Amino acid sequence: MSDPYSVLGVPRTASEDDIRKAFRKLAKKHHPDLNPGDKVAEAKFKEASQANDLLSDPEKRRRFDAGEIDATGQEVPPRGFYRDQAGGFGGKYERAGAHESFVDMGGIFSEMFGERRGFGAGGPGGGFDMSGMPVTYSLRVPFLVGARGGKQRVNLPDGKTLDIDIPEGTTDGQTLRLKGQGMPGSQGQPAGDAYVEIRVEPHAFFQTRDNDIHIELPVTLTEAALGAKVRAPTVGGPVMLNVPAGSNSGTSLRLKGRGLLDRRSGQRGDQYVKLKVVLPEQPDEKLKEFLESWDAGRAYDPRKEMEQFT
């Protein structure tokens, strides 16, 4: 992966707010939902998501800046690591604390599987009788898969294909346990477990706060002034939303029970819809003529309350 600062287009001195704004700009431009079938946009979105995942976490950012982890978040072995580890079991090094993604696990697993088969004196058939070791790795899932639940197909390092059940309401950073999908045991002992840390990709317009969803919904001047029923997207699919007459940009409406499922309590959050009045892209002469003759439009000052703070 490229340097995360370069991917987001921010300097190394960028603030958290600068990073957040840069990522949102790229997400709105390259999100797969807005560019269906565009593989280039999809790749750029994933790259931006990985860069944001690293730089938006203060500890990960500190470790990356210090050279302790690379741009993918993986540990960077200190100088002389493999030499210092030599002379262990069988005179060969073993990697400790491996943490890889599904995509990158093939080489290290092959090496570890090979070493484990020859573990202990005497090679296969001798040595210790051990259960398999656990492994830990991460999996990125689309926002809506985490919100709605579903299956995510992955290819394991040993060539097997596995459909992982992503529970509804899965949030970023949660860990799933895959029993028996870790390192194989020796002498017929059972395999260890795999622990998968879920990294939920951000969405183009859904934002989460705890179990609530927040979204900005564009409406026309007519819909805001006169009121209307409009389609509003939710994680469960579009619903009809009643826009009250006289609504302004910034008006917030609540859709009860349309947020994320809290897996511990079984309760759902709400969705909050902030309206944004949008004028036509092309000038409308009739609208212009009306506004020029609309005396009431000059009779109020929407900025009057700001004067007391200046």
Side-chain angles (χ1 to χ4, degrees), residues 34 36 61 65 118 137-138 158 168 196 242 260 286 290 300:
L34 304 178
R61 182 179 180 183
D65 290 342
Y137 43 164
S138 62
D158 60 2
E168 180 181 4
V196 183
N242 183 44
L260 299 177
K286 289 186 177 181
F290 166 74
Y300 74 99

Side-chain angles (χ1 to χ4, degrees), residues 215 232-234 239-242 253-259 269-273:
I215 183 176
T234 73
V239 299
M240 298 306 294
L241 174 69
N242 183 44
L253 305 174
R254 183 178 73 150
L255 293 172
K256 189 175 181 180
R258 290 289 179 172
D270 301 326
Q271 177 166 311
Y272 293 88
V273 180

Side-chain angles (χ1 to χ4, degrees), residues 214-233 239-255 271-279:
H214 291 256
I215 183 176
E216 188 176 71
L217 184 70
V219 294
T220 68
L221 179 61
T222 302
E223 291 167 340
L226 302 181
K229 287 187 178 293
V230 300
R231 285 166 60 89
V239 299
M240 298 306 294
L241 174 69
N242 183 44
V243 177
S247 294
N248 277 315
S249 285
T251 297
S252 184
L253 305 174
R254 183 178 73 150
L255 293 172
Q271 177 166 311
Y272 293 88
V273 180
K274 181 185 289 187
L275 302 181
K276 178 181 179 181
V277 180
V278 178
L279 294 176

